[in-house]
Amino acid sequence: MFYYKIKRNLWVKGEKAIRFSARVFRGTDVSLDEIAKEISHSTTMSYPDVLAALKAFEIHISAHILNGSAVKFGTLGAFIPTLRSKACATAEEVTADTIKRVTCRFYPSVAFKNTMKGANLIEKDMNIDHA
């Protein structure tokens, strides 16, 4: 995994200060099509069969999450639907209109977290100002 350094302007103890931190250097995004090609090359399944299965997988995952179910992927982790709502004084005031945002979060499994902890981190020079 690659990272690069960024320069940040922060307030530290009431004064403006320059600090530096690391950010993940994201490569190019990987499409479902590319994943299907990789799987078809590493298995006996044909590309169209893999692509059809992955598209169905995508559709069914979305449907389960929209129905409020968590979708768990063993050693990878889980996609869990979440929402944010306005706090109300009484239970009767809580309605669908008090919900501000509905989203989905990914929670990695313990095994996947441990794998991430062991990631090989390599600095990518992005020519930042070090002053």
Side-chain angles (χ1 to χ4, degrees), residues 32-45:
L32 197 64
D33 186 59
E34 290 173 76
I35 297 290
K37 286 176 187 172
E38 290 173 1
I39 292 171
S40 72
H41 286 99
S42 64
T43 66
T44 59
M45 293 177 66

Side-chain angles (χ1 to χ4, degrees), residues 35-130:
I35 297 290
K37 286 176 187 172
E38 290 173 1
I39 292 171
S40 72
H41 286 99
S42 64
T43 66
T44 59
M45 293 177 66
S46 69
Y47 165 75
D49 290 339
V50 174
L51 188 59
L54 288 176
K55 289 303 284 180
F57 185 68
E58 182 179 52
I59 290 165
H60 287 279
I61 290 168
S62 297
H64 285 292
I65 291 170
L66 288 171
N67 283 328
S69 297
V71 179
K72 298 181 178 182
F73 294 102
T75 59
L76 186 61
F79 287 94
I80 299 175
T82 63
L83 58 82
R84 294 206 182 232
S85 67
K86 177 183 170 187
C88 300
T90 65
E92 292 75 26
E93 292 177 86
V94 178
T95 66
D97 292 333
T98 61
I99 296 172
K100 297 178 183 178
R101 182 174 62 150
V102 178
T103 188
C104 178
R105 295 203 52 192
F106 173 72
Y107 293 91
S109 70
V110 171
F112 190 62
K113 281 182 190 178
N114 289 336
T115 300
M116 293 295 290
K117 286 179 186 175
N120 184 24
L121 300 170
I122 302 165
E123 183 179 346
K124 193 108 166 133
D125 185 10
M126 302 296 282
N127 297 318
I128 67 158
D129 179 10
H130 296 283

